[in-house]
Amino acid sequence: MKIGVVGLGTMGAGIAQLAVEAGLETVGHEVTYELGERARARIEHFLSRKVDKGQIDSFDIDLLTLTIGLDDLADCDVVIEAIVEELDPKRELFAELDRICRPDAVLATNTSALSVTEIAGGATRPERVVGMHFFNPAPLMPLVEIVRAERTSDEAFETAYALGERLGKHPIRCHDTPGFVVNRVLIPLLNDCLRVLDEARVTPADLDAGMRHGAGWPMGPCELVDLVGIDVHVHASEALWEKLREPRMAPPPRLVAMANAGLLGRKSGRGFYEYDES
Ligand code: CAA
C-alpha cells in the first residue's frame, strides 16, 4: 500500500511518521523542499529515539519521499490531506487530487472541525472522500476518527478504517457532524476552561494544575491549547460556532487576541507559556 500525505506540518508529519513506522511507502507533499526536509528530519529524530528506547527495532526513512508536485501522488492508494484548516483551499486540493489520483484511490481529510461533505464537494467522485481525523501529537495519541460524509462509499470508509488500524491506531466510526465525536465535546470544554481563567482569576499554571490534579487530565487546558496551536483552536471553535450557534463553542476573546498577536503556543515559542523550541 502506498500512502500520500499532503502538508507536512505538525499533523501531516506525524501521520507520515506513522506510515513510515508501519513500513508503508509514503509520499510527502509540501510547498517547498525545505519544509519537506524539515519534516523528514523531525520524523527521523522521533523514530531514532524509538529505536534507542527499544520501542521499535528499526525503520527505513527512505520509505518517505518528498515532492512539491501533486502529480507524484498519482499512484497512491490513499492520500491524506493535512493542509491549512480552511474550506476553499481544501476543496480546491480535493478537486485536484480527484483529477490526478487513480479512480480507486481513497482521498482522506484530517480536518478537525470542517465538514468532510463540503470538502468532498470539490471532487467529481465524492464517494471516495472520507475523514481520517488524527489527534495531536498524532504519533502518540491512539485515536483516529473515521468520518463518513454524506456520499462516502462503504469501500472508501472501510479502507480508511483498515488503514487506521494498520497505522497502529484505535479507529472509531462516526458521521460527518460538526466536531465529529471528540472535538464536539472537547472544544466547548476547553473554551469553558479558558473562560474560567478570567472568571475565577486563576493563573494558567494553577488552572492547569487544577485540571491535572483534580480531574486526572494528562495535561492542563492551557498546556493543551499551546500544544494544539492557539490559532488552530480558535479556527476550530469558529467552525463549530458557525454550525451550531452554541455560545460555548465561540472562541474566548482572550484566545482570539492571542492568535491575532502571534502568540500561537509551542510552535511560535510563546502562548500561555514560553518554549525554547519554536
Ligand atoms: N513522535 C514520536 N515521539 C514523540 C513525538 C512525536 N511526534 N512527540 C513527542 N514524542 C516523544 C517525546 O519526545 C518523548 O520521548 P523521549 O522520552 O525520547 O523524550 C515521548 O514521546 C513521550 O513524551 P512525553 O514525555 O511528553 O509524553 P507524556 O507521557 O507526557 O505524554 C502526551 C504526552 C501523549 C501528549 C500526553 O500529555 C497527553 O495525552 N496529552 C493530551 C493530548 C491531547 O489531548 N491531545 C488532543 C488534542 S485535541 C486534538 O488534537 C484535536 C484537534 O483536532 C485539534
Side-chain angles (χ1 to χ4, degrees):
M1 179 179 259
K2 188 168 178 177
I3 304 297
V5 181
V6 184
L8 296 176
T10 307
M11 293 308 292
I15 295 164
Q17 178 179 324
L18 291 166
V20 170
E21 187 176 334
L24 301 174
E25 210 182 324
T26 308
V27 186
H29 179 278
E30 250 303 346
V31 289
T32 65
Y33 277 110
E34 195 195 342
L35 286 172
E37 292 294 354
R38 207 180 295 171
R40 185 157 58 182
R42 274 171 52 84
I43 291 169
E44 197 165 8
H45 162 80
F46 283 128
L47 290 178
S48 301
R49 285 286 299 155
K50 289 192 84 164
V51 173
D52 292 346
K53 290 187 282 184
Q55 292 171 345
I56 53 175
D57 292 336
S58 63
F59 66 94
D60 179 3
I61 193 65
D62 292 334
L63 283 172
L64 175 63
T65 54
L66 299 174
T67 181
I68 56 169
L70 289 174
D71 287 346
D72 289 328
L73 301 167
D75 60 343
C76 288
D77 299 289
V78 180
V79 177
I80 304 174
E81 166 274 317
I83 66 167
V84 61
E85 272 289 89
E86 286 171 19
L87 188 57
D88 287 345
K90 286 191 195 279
R91 280 175 66 98
E92 280 165 30
L93 175 65
F94 276 77
E96 192 71 0
L97 290 173
D98 190 41
R99 195 180 55 74
I100 290 168
C101 297
R102 287 196 327 254
D104 62 328
V106 170
L107 307 180
T109 172
N110 178 54
T111 187
S112 54
L114 299 176
S115 156
V116 181
T117 304
E118 287 177 35
I119 293 170
T124 55
R125 293 185 206 85
E127 310 76 47
R128 57 158 148 178
V129 179
V130 61
M132 285 188 82
H133 180 217
F134 293 84
F135 290 76
N136 190 349
L140 302 186
M141 298 299 288
L143 186 69
V144 58
E145 291 172 328
I146 307 298
V147 185
R148 185 190 281 278
E150 286 306 314
R151 296 180 62 182
T152 305
S153 69
D154 290 346
E155 292 80 0
F157 193 68
E158 294 309 326
T159 300
Y161 188 95
L163 175 60
E165 285 185 319
R166 180 102 192 258
L167 297 178
K169 296 291 144 189
H170 185 126
I172 60 172
R173 296 180 169 90
C174 60
H175 282 263
D176 183 29
T177 52
F180 315 133
V181 176
V182 173
N183 276 348
R184 169 68 182 80
V185 176
L186 188 59
I187 285 178
L189 184 57
L190 284 173
N191 286 341
D192 278 348
C193 289
L194 298 166
R195 288 190 182 97
V196 165
L197 277 177
D198 297 320
E199 287 166 18
R201 281 170 284 166
V202 62
T203 62
D206 277 352
L207 172 61
D208 283 347
M211 296 310 287
R212 270 193 273 108
H213 301 310
W217 287 24
M219 58 181 13
C222 299
E223 294 172 298
L224 183 55
V225 176
D226 270 2
L227 171 75
V228 166
I230 290 183
D231 53 336
V232 172
H233 181 80
V234 166
H235 251 85
S237 296
E238 278 167 350
L240 287 193
W241 161 245
E242 203 175 288
K243 298 275 189 229
L244 299 169
R245 291 291 162 192
E246 288 179 26
R248 295 174 66 228
M249 303 292 178
R254 179 181 181 136
L255 270 198
V256 177
M258 288 174 77
N260 289 339
L263 302 175
L264 307 181
R266 282 195 197 190
K267 65 184 167 191
S268 71
R270 198 170 144 204
F272 285 102
Y273 301 99
E274 296 201 7
Y275 302 89
D276 284 341
E277 87 275 21
S278 57

